[in-house]
């Protein structure tokens, strides 16, 4: 007997009963079994809550229906019975209280065919064969005997009647429905009235194609033994079968010839399956942690399962294995058995015969059948055929169901293709690897396992945590391909290593950024330095156990002590020690002074007091980046004019008020706003520190890849509790900067809050090339350039009497001169402060701006020029920064070497010792000495040389085109040298 799973039918129950069963999660259908003319109706109830399938007998005999099924040995009963069969859906019956035997055993291969519910009469079969098949040539007697041997079967959609390579034992006549054959990977629909498997049965060979039902169908089967026995008795049947066999063999030969031609066309374009290529990429390769990979995986699966088979565009940067991703779309679709080919668009000839064929070949669109065509690098397609190609593709797309275009097109592109913009494509953008840094460890392990298996190694190499962090921090311009080839070279190198399978930095040193190759992480080289910087000594205890009280003492001494610099220790320390010292610190530690600055220590005290009272500090105002630096600039200009006109270096109490004024600004900002708003945007000393910190030989940075891949708390930026394995509780960066986003030293005070908070050792304290911020990318702003030239003018303002004497205007500085008037003094001071910056801007406008406009214009000549566009004035002006630093340091060098080493003598006078006693204390002075002149000269020459080099680098112009700025740099240096060199040394030269 043959059987079939009971088919679902619309239940004929009342709505109330259906509603109750729907609430229980059940589904129902009705079927009947038949044996010896008796039937029994059974309602099939499928419970989604219990799993499995149950058949509940209704115990009622009804006439035969179209849903009757053969079942040997069953007798209908009127008692109620229930059976649940878990696993495959299989029909079964039993007496009440008994478990029936499942009709299909476990060895069933999945075929589900049944006897027809209503068996037509033999006369009806004979008449249908005569009217609808080519058997009409047979006599009525032969047709009747043939009809007597037919077994009527019903098959469901998806049922397999014969598999490729099997020997069929019956021929099939399609009565209703649609079947499908698959021959050499090409699917072909079989309509009703077709006779199948005749050649295989007569020749007693295996089938070269598979036979599967596309829809529910009715098939008439003739057993091979009956057919052969009848053909032996009926010569006319044997003759007709021979003719049929010859016709089918001819048809088969034609199919083989056609398929051979198609294979010739496809052979040169075939691509290796992804499970056979190297590396073996699958959909699960992109089952990573980042949302980018998760979205990519969803898009690939959605495109593969698209029932409408819309054409797909996969685009992204180079090295993303986009061709393999396109293959994955095909290989995970229902047409995965169909061929997939790849065509390089740059090789397409005019008219695209590769796609649409010509007299010699049918073209890929016809040859590939229902497969997929990958058009690789669409952006490289020849410009003179792009319109023709895509217009033809467009017309083909409009008729996708035709025999001429059943293929699916998978486009691959690295750039935007305007011709594709109007196509209804499924667009999949592959994210670059730098956006999915969290998945780099997953990809690294995948690649290592793949390549180890490929080379037949016994052990997969391990990768050190340091190298993994380097890989996460690297931008990977070549994306997946670059990462894979780097790891491949590393595995090859580890094979020759005596230690074996460990990949260290010596193997993957090239994974670091180019600028990192000239940087040395001091935290790795000096573990004791890491320990110190992560301790509470730096800077917490230094600030609140020492600086807090020392600053208050200095201000009191300035207010109430002696008022001259040679008798006031605090005034001597501020002008003779702090100013030259801070300019030397810039080269080594950048803006480190801000970490221990007393101004903000008192500001933090105010913040802590406010927070202890339950206050909520405000966020920073918007547009601080726009107007904050200009506030800083004008405040610094006012301080410099105040310093000159009121002689602050020799007036202790005014210097004390200057310190208190800056401290008050920090305390007021801290009262209202969180963190260090004053330090970042408004403090004049902080602005100067931020600018000169770009000259430092050290920097604090973080590995962007590690931060992106592993960190999701941002405690280094926002602050937070301790985070294992080594993160400490902190308040976050006081300047609101993330260490991984720093482009220069401007917004880092080296407080090391980020180093303490980071649990992943992402923060680095690097030793680097001096002035690296100027040579690499940094934030160039007009406000900072203005501050730089303001400080350059201040260096000449400090020597105002000597400057006036140079121009023969020394009478202006006498008691009767115009400088005796406070207003005129302030006016002249302001002019001197502004003069250097205005002079540089004027020279640039006259000699360079024309060249800049010429190369940056819209005319074709300028666009075709291979010369680079010169830098803007703001960008080029940073070349003057080393010279400004050198001129300022040369001025304070004289003050430092002449007075700084007499600090003990000055301290003695401050506490009231007599001048004679104070002079006996240790101390010396280099004022008016040749040593001082030599040091100042070397400082100025060093600044000049560095400025010439950096100006040339930043200008993007030739040496000849930079000459105006070079002459200006030399003139400013010469003027500073004439003003700073002591008179005795200069007099010996004259």
């Amino acid at each position: 007997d043959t059987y079939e799973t009971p088919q679902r039918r619309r239940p004929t129950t009342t709505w109330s009963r259906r509603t109750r069963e729907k609430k229980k999660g059940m589904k129902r259908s009705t079927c009947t079994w038949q044996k010896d003319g008796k039937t029994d109706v059974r309602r099939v109830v499928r419970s989604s809550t219990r799993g499995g399938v149950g058949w509940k007998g209704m115990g009622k005999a009804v006439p035969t229906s179209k849903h009757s099924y053969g079942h040997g040995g069953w007798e209908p009963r009127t008692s109620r019975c229930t059976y649940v069969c878990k696993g495959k859906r299989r029909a079964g019956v039993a007496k009440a209280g008994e478990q029936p035997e499942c009709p299909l055993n476990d060895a069933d291969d999945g075929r589900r065919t049944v006897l027809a519910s209503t068996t037509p009469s033999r006369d009806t079969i004979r008449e249908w064969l005569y009217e609808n098949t080519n058997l009409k040539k047979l006599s009525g007697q032969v047709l009747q005997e043939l009809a007597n041997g037919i077994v009527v079967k019903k098959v469901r959609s998806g049922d397999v009647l014969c598999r490729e390579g099997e020997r069929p034992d019956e021929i099939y006549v399609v009565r209703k429905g649609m079947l499908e054959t698959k021959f050499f990977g090409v699917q072909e629909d079989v309509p009703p009235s077709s006779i199948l498997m005749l050649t295989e049965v007569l020749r007693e060979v295996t089938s070269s194609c598979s036979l599967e039902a596309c829809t529910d169908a009715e098939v008439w089967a003739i057993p091979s033994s009956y057919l052969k026995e009848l053909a032996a008795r009926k010569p006319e049947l044997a003759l007709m079968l021979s003719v049929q066999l010859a016709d089918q063999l001819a048809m088969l030969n034609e199919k083989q010839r056609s398929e051979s031609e198609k294979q010739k066309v496809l052979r040169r374009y075939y691509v290796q399956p992804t499970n056979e290529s190297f590396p073996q990429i699958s959909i699960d390769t992109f089952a990573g942690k980042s949302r980018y990979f998760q979205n990519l995986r969803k898009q690939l699966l959605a495109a593969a399962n698209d029932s409408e088979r819309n054409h797909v565009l996969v685009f992204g940067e180079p090295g993303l294995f986009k061709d393999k991703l396109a293959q994955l779309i095909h290989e995970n679709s229902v047409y995965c058995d169909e061929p997939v080919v790849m065509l390089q668009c740059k090789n397409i000839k005019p008219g695209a015969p590769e796609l649409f064929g010509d007299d010699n070949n049918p073209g890929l669109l016809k040859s590939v059948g229902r497969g997929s065509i990958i058009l690789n690098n669409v952006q490289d397609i020849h410009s003179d055929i792009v319109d023709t190609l895509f217009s033809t593709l467009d017309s083909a797309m409009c008729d996708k169901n035709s025999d001429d275009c059943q293929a699916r097109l998978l486009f691959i592109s690295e750039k935007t293709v305007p011709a594709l913009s109007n196509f209804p494509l499924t667009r999949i953008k592959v994210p670059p690897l730098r956006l999915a840094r969290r998945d780099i460890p997953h990809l690294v392990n995948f690649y290592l396992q793949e390549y180890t298996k490929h080379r037949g190694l016994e052990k997969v190499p391990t990768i050190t945590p340091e190298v993994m962090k380097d890989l996460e921090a690297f931008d990977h311009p070549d994306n997946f391909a670059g990462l894979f080839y780097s790891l491949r070279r590393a595995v090859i190198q580890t094979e020759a290593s005596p230690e074996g399978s460990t990949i260290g930095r010596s193997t993957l040193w090239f994974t670091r950024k180019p600028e990192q190759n000239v940087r040395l992480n001091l935290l790795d080289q000096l573990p004791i330095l890491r320990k110190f910087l992560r301790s509470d000594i730096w800077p917490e205890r230094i600030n609140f156990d020492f600086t807090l009280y020392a600053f208050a003492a200095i201000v009191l001494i300035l207010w109430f002590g002696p008022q001259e610099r040679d008798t006031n220790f605090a005034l001597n320390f501020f002008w003779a020690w702090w100013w030259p010292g801070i300019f030397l610190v810039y080269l080594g530690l950048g803006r480190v002074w801000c970490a221990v600055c007393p101004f903000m220590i008192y500001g933090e005290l105010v913040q802590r007091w406010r927070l202890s009272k339950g206050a909520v500090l405000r966020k920073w105002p918007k547009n601080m980046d726009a107007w904050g630096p200009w506030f800083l600039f004008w405040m610094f200009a006012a301080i410099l004019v105040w310093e000159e006109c009121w002689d602050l270096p020799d007036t202790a109490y005014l210097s004390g008020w200057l310190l208190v004024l800056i401290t008050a600004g920090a305390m007021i900002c801290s009262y209202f706003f969180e963190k260090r708003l004053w330090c970042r945007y408004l403090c004049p000393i902080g602005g100067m520190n931020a600018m000169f910190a770009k000259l430092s030989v050290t920097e604090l940075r973080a590995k962007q890849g590690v931060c992106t891949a592993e960190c999701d708390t941002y405690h280094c930026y926002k602050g937070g509790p301790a985070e294992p394995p080594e993160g400490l509780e902190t308040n976050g960066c006081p300047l609101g900067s993330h260490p991984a986003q720093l482009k220069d030293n401007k917004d880092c005070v080296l407080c090391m809050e980020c180093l303490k908070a980071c649990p992943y050792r992402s923060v680095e304290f690097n030793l680097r090339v001096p002035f690296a911020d100027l040579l690499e990318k940094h934030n160039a702003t007009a406000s900072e350039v203005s501050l730089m030239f303001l400080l350059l003018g201040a260096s000449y303002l400090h020597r105002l009497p000597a400057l006036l004497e140079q121009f023969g205007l020394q009478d202006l500085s006498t008691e009767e001169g115009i400088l005796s008037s406070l207003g005129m003094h302030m006016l002249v001071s302001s002019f001197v402060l502004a003069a250097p910056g205005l002079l540089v801007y004027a020279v640039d406008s006259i000699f360079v701006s024309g060249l800049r406009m010429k190369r940056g214009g819209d005319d074709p000549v300028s666009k075709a020029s291979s010369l680079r566009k010169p830098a803007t004035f703001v960008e080029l002006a940073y070349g003057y920064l080393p010279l400004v630093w050198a001129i300022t340091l040369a001025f304070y060098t004289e003050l430092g070497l002449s007075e700084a080493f007499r600090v003990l003598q000055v301290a003695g006078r401050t506490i009231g010792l007599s001048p004679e006693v104070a002079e006996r204390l240790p101390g010396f002075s280099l004022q008016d000495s040749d040593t001082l002149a030599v040091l100042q000269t070397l400082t100025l020459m060093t600044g000049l040389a560095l400025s010439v080099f950096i100006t040339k680098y930043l200008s993007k112009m030739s040496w000849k085109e930079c000459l105006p700025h070079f002459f200006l740099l030399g003139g400013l240096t010469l003027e500073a040298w004439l003003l700073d060199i002591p008179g005795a040394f200069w007099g010996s030269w004259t």
Side-chain angles (χ1 to χ4, degrees):
D1 295 330
T2 54
Y3 310 92
E4 183 182 79
T5 304
Q7 299 183 4
R8 297 184 183 179
R9 295 184 60 196
R10 185 179 183 87
T12 58
T13 58
T14 63
W15 279 104
S16 59
R17 179 177 298 175
R18 175 186 290 181
T19 304
R20 288 196 302 271
E21 292 178 349
K22 186 177 181 181
K23 290 181 178 180
K24 295 180 181 180
M26 295 183 175
K27 299 179 180 178
R28 59 171 63 239
S29 61
T30 304
C31 60
T32 60
W33 280 264
Q34 178 187 18
K35 180 66 177 180
D36 298 331
K38 299 180 180 180
T39 60
D40 182 47
V41 178
R42 302 218 165 208
R43 179 175 296 116
V44 181
V45 181
R46 307 185 186 281
S47 173
S48 61
T49 57
R50 297 183 179 181
V53 182
W55 291 266
K56 295 186 178 180
M58 297 174 59
K60 180 180 179 181
V62 297
T64 302
S65 69
K66 64 178 180 179
H67 292 291
S68 57
Y69 300 81
H71 189 280
W74 174 79
E75 295 180 0
R77 296 180 59 89
T78 58
S79 59
R80 195 171 187 82
C81 62
T82 302
Y83 166 58
V84 176
C85 176
K86 297 184 177 180
K88 294 184 178 180
R89 294 185 294 173
R90 295 169 177 172
V93 294
K95 297 180 180 180
E98 296 181 1
Q99 176 173 315
E101 181 180 357
C102 213
L104 297 180
N105 55 37
D106 293 335
D108 179 58
D109 61 357
R111 304 178 194 176
R112 299 188 299 273
T113 59
V114 300
L115 290 174
S117 57
T118 303
T119 304
S121 64
R122 300 303 167 180
D123 293 338
T124 302
I125 296 176
R126 178 180 58 80
E127 293 176 0
W128 189 91
L129 290 176
Y130 180 80
E131 295 175 356
N132 297 279
T133 67
N134 53 7
L135 299 176
K136 63 180 65 176
K137 298 178 180 180
L138 298 175
S139 63
Q141 182 182 1
V142 174
L143 275 178
Q144 186 63 51
E145 292 192 33
L146 192 62
N148 293 338
I150 284 179
V151 179
V152 181
K153 297 183 178 181
K154 272 201 169 183
V155 293
R156 281 189 184 179
S157 175
D159 290 350
V160 179
L161 295 174
C162 182
R163 301 183 187 278
E164 183 179 357
E166 293 182 353
R167 177 177 295 180
D169 55 0
E170 53 191 3
I171 66 173
Y172 302 103
V173 180
V174 183
R175 172 67 174 83
K176 295 180 182 179
M178 187 72 70
L179 273 63
E180 182 182 67
T181 61
K182 184 177 292 187
F183 181 77
F184 284 101
V186 179
Q187 295 177 343
E188 182 177 347
D189 293 334
V190 180
S193 304
S194 301
I195 301 177
L196 305 171
M197 300 298 164
L198 179 62
T199 304
E200 289 80 358
V201 169
L202 294 179
R203 296 179 61 198
E204 296 183 353
V205 295
T206 59
S207 175
S208 60
C209 63
S210 61
L211 182 61
E212 182 178 343
C214 298
T215 63
D216 292 346
E218 181 179 322
V219 178
W220 294 350
I222 305 176
S224 60
S225 58
Y226 181 81
L227 181 66
K228 292 178 180 179
E229 185 269 334
L230 183 60
R233 292 189 292 108
K234 303 294 182 180
E236 60 175 313
L237 176 61
L239 178 61
M240 193 218 63
L241 291 178
S242 300
V243 173
Q244 292 286 333
L245 178 60
D247 292 342
Q248 291 196 8
L249 287 175
M251 186 183 302
L252 180 62
N253 291 333
E254 178 63 23
K255 286 184 177 180
Q256 289 179 337
R257 186 191 64 79
S258 176
E259 192 62 31
S260 176
E261 291 180 357
K262 292 181 180 180
Q263 292 300 323
K264 288 181 180 179
V265 176
L266 297 177
R267 189 177 299 119
R268 57 182 297 191
Y269 301 109
Y270 271 129
V271 292
Q272 191 176 18
T274 55
N275 60 353
E276 298 178 6
S277 61
F278 179 72
Q280 296 182 4
I281 295 178
S282 66
I283 293 288
D284 293 333
T285 304
F286 304 97
K289 299 179 181 178
S290 69
R291 67 178 186 274
Y292 299 99
F293 270 19
Q294 293 174 0
N295 291 337
L296 175 62
R297 187 172 184 269
K298 292 179 181 178
Q299 288 178 307
L300 292 175
L301 289 175
N305 298 325
D306 185 5
S307 60
E308 297 183 0
R309 301 191 74 211
N310 289 322
H311 304 292
V312 181
L313 170 63
V314 182
F315 64 100
E317 297 179 1
L320 290 173
F321 291 156
K322 297 183 291 296
D323 54 342
K324 294 185 180 295
L325 297 181
Q327 280 185 252
L328 289 177
I329 294 176
H330 171 82
E331 293 174 359
N332 287 272
S333 67
V334 295
Y335 295 97
C336 57
D337 294 333
E338 302 292 340
V340 55
V341 296
M342 182 183 298
L343 177 62
Q344 298 293 337
C345 289
K346 65 179 180 180
N347 297 330
I348 296 179
K349 300 176 182 178
E354 297 87 351
L355 284 171
F356 306 106
D358 52 20
D359 296 338
N360 298 323
N361 70 84
L364 289 177
L365 283 176
K366 291 184 179 180
S367 302
V368 80
R370 297 180 182 178
S372 299
I373 301 176
I374 301 175
L375 297 176
N376 195 17
N377 293 322
V378 183
Q379 75 279 358
D380 294 337
I381 201 166
H382 203 274
S383 58
D384 59 353
I385 66 170
V386 63
D387 295 334
T388 304
L389 173 62
F390 285 105
S391 62
T392 310
L393 286 176
D394 191 15
S395 62
M397 287 181 185
C398 295
D399 192 15
K400 286 171 54 177
N401 295 325
S402 67
D403 294 337
D404 292 339
C405 185
Q406 297 184 13
R408 190 180 193 184
L409 302 181
L410 306 176
F411 298 97
I412 297 177
S413 175
E414 294 178 358
K415 301 177 183 178
T416 302
V417 181
L420 290 176
S421 59
N422 297 325
F423 277 66
L425 305 175
T426 299
R427 289 171 168 80
I428 299 177
K429 182 177 181 180
V430 186
L433 188 55
R434 62 179 176 275
L435 295 181
R437 298 181 190 271
R438 288 191 174 189
D439 293 320
I440 289 179
H442 167 73
L443 290 175
V444 168
N445 294 330
F446 168 75
Y447 286 152
L448 289 178
Q449 292 175 1
E450 283 290 308
Y451 195 66
T452 302
K453 181 170 57 177
H454 178 73
R455 292 186 65 85
L457 302 178
E458 297 180 357
K459 186 178 179 181
V460 178
T462 58
I463 195 164
T464 63
E466 294 80 9
V467 172
M468 185 64 75
K469 292 183 185 299
D470 289 342
L471 289 171
E472 292 174 338
F474 190 51
D475 284 340
H476 298 283
D478 295 325
N479 294 295
F480 302 141
L483 176 62
F484 167 70
Y485 293 127
S486 298
L487 293 173
R488 184 181 69 172
R489 289 192 295 269
V491 172
I492 295 175
Q493 293 179 16
T494 55
E495 290 183 54
S497 174
E499 286 91 13
S501 56
T502 300
I503 299 177
R505 275 182 172 170
S506 59
T507 307
L508 279 176
W509 61 269
F510 43 83
T511 62
R512 308 182 70 192
K513 294 181 180 180
E515 60 267 20
Q516 289 179 330
N517 293 329
V518 291
R519 281 166 167 77
L520 179 67
N521 186 5
L522 298 177
L523 300 179
D524 292 341
Q525 304 298 321
L526 302 172
I528 190 173
L529 178 62
R530 172 185 288 273
K531 183 177 180 180
F532 168 73
L533 295 178
R534 285 174 52 84
S535 69
D536 59 351
I537 299 177
W538 179 263
E540 179 73 13
R541 288 173 57 183
I542 294 176
N543 287 342
F544 292 95
D545 292 349
F546 173 74
T547 309
L548 177 69
Y549 306 104
F551 180 73
I554 288 176
V555 172
L556 291 175
I557 294 174
L558 291 173
W559 277 351
F560 304 107
Q563 294 301 298
E564 293 78 17
R565 195 164 64 241
D566 59 349
T567 59
N568 191 303
F569 161 77
L571 194 62
N572 176 275
F573 177 81
F574 180 47
W575 293 100
W577 279 91
W578 186 86
W579 275 102
I582 194 65
F583 274 80
L584 291 175
V585 169
Y586 289 149
L587 286 184
L589 297 174
R591 200 177 172 179
V592 70
W593 167 257
C594 293
V596 295
C597 175
F599 307 143
M600 202 56 214
I601 293 176
Y602 286 88
E604 290 186 359
L605 282 179
V606 173
Q607 282 184 341
R608 295 182 183 184
W609 172 73
R610 287 268 290 159
L611 293 174
S612 67
K613 299 297 182 181
V616 178
L617 300 179
R618 301 178 185 178
K619 300 293 183 181
W620 291 354
K622 296 181 179 179
N623 299 324
M624 286 299 298
D625 287 317
W627 63 267
W630 289 110
F631 173 87
L632 179 155
F633 168 80
W634 290 111
M635 186 176 181
F636 211 134
I639 290 174
L640 291 174
V641 173
W642 183 24
E643 174 189 341
E644 170 62 27
C645 296
W646 275 269
D647 196 16
L648 262 65
D650 288 316
T651 308
Y653 79 95
L654 290 179
S655 296
W657 279 113
L658 173 61
L659 299 179
V660 171
L661 176 64
I662 300 176
T663 305
M667 296 175 68
I668 294 173
C669 286
S670 300
Y671 183 87
F672 294 103
F673 301 103
E674 63 181 8
K675 297 191 176 183
R676 294 189 177 187
L677 173 68
W678 176 262
C679 291
R680 175 157 182 168
Y681 293 111
L682 305 176
C683 178
I685 303 300
M688 179 182 67
N689 294 345
M691 179 178 62
F692 286 115
K694 296 181 179 182
L695 307 178
S696 175
V697 297
T698 58
E699 66 178 8
L700 186 136
R701 298 290 186 270
K703 300 175 182 177
Q704 292 182 352
V706 176
C707 296
T708 304
E710 301 186 15
C711 180
D712 54 6
T713 61
Y714 301 101
H715 286 172
C716 62
Y717 170 70
K718 299 184 297 185
E723 184 178 359
E726 60 179 51
L728 303 177
E729 180 180 1
T730 67
N731 295 322
C733 178
L735 297 190
S737 301
H738 195 292
Q741 298 175 349
L742 292 174
K743 294 183 179 180
D744 51 42
N745 288 345
K746 178 181 178 180
D747 294 326
C748 179
V749 299
L750 297 181
C751 63
M752 299 300 170
E753 291 293 305
C754 54
L755 176 64
K756 297 175 182 179
C758 181
Y760 307 109
R761 294 208 169 195
S762 174
V763 179
E764 299 177 325
F765 184 53
N766 295 321
L767 186 65
R768 64 177 190 178
V769 176
F771 324 111
D773 286 346
L774 302 181
L775 303 178
E776 299 167 1
K777 294 181 179 180
H778 73 106
N779 294 321
T781 61
S783 58
E784 195 170 57
V785 169
S786 301
L787 178 62
M788 177 183 67
F789 287 120
L790 180 71
L791 293 176
L792 179 60
S795 301
Y796 299 111
L797 181 60
H798 294 151
R799 292 289 192 177
L800 184 58
L803 184 63
L804 293 175
E805 185 178 356
Q806 274 189 347
F807 292 94
L809 301 176
Q810 58 272 18
D811 294 339
L812 298 179
S813 60
T814 60
E815 295 182 359
E816 294 80 11
I818 61 174
L819 294 185
S820 60
S821 170
L822 180 60
M824 291 302 299
H825 197 176
M826 295 176 63
L827 183 61
V828 172
S829 299
S830 300
F831 174 78
V832 174
L833 288 175
L838 294 175
L839 179 61
V840 175
Y841 182 75
V843 171
D844 183 86
S845 300
I846 295 172
F847 295 99
V848 182
S849 61
L851 180 64
R852 191 177 292 125
M853 293 178 61
K854 181 179 178 181
R855 291 191 186 172
D858 296 330
D859 58 286
V861 177
S862 64
K863 289 184 176 180
S865 176
S866 60
L867 299 176
R868 295 185 298 173
K869 179 181 177 181
T872 63
F873 173 74
V874 173
E875 296 171 341
L876 184 147
Y878 279 90
Y880 287 75
L881 186 60
L883 181 63
V884 175
W885 170 83
I887 292 177
T888 308
L889 179 61
F891 168 76
Y892 285 111
T893 298
E894 179 182 358
L895 192 62
L897 294 181
S898 60
E899 298 185 16
F901 297 104
R902 300 176 57 191
V903 62
L904 293 179
Q905 299 172 356
V906 175
R909 298 190 185 98
T910 303
I911 62 177
L913 296 180
S914 62
E916 295 78 8
V917 175
E919 288 294 331
R920 297 175 184 175
L921 296 176
F924 64 92
S925 174
L926 296 178
Q927 188 174 11
D928 299 331
S929 67
D930 293 345
T931 302
L932 176 59
V934 170
L935 291 176
Q936 289 178 307
T937 302
L938 291 176
T939 302
L940 292 173
M941 292 299 104
T942 301
L944 174 61
L946 292 174
S947 285
V948 168
F949 168 73
I950 295 176
T951 300
K952 170 62 178 66
Y953 181 85
L954 297 178
S955 68
K956 302 175 185 177
M957 298 185 297
S958 65
W959 289 95
K960 182 179 180 180
E961 293 167 339
C962 291
L963 283 179
H965 281 286
F966 293 161
F967 283 121
L968 193 54
L969 287 169
L972 293 172
T973 305
L974 178 62
E975 177 64 18
W977 186 76
L978 294 174
L979 295 175
D980 286 341
I981 297 303
F985 181 78
W986 176 243
S988 64
W989 279 70
T990 57

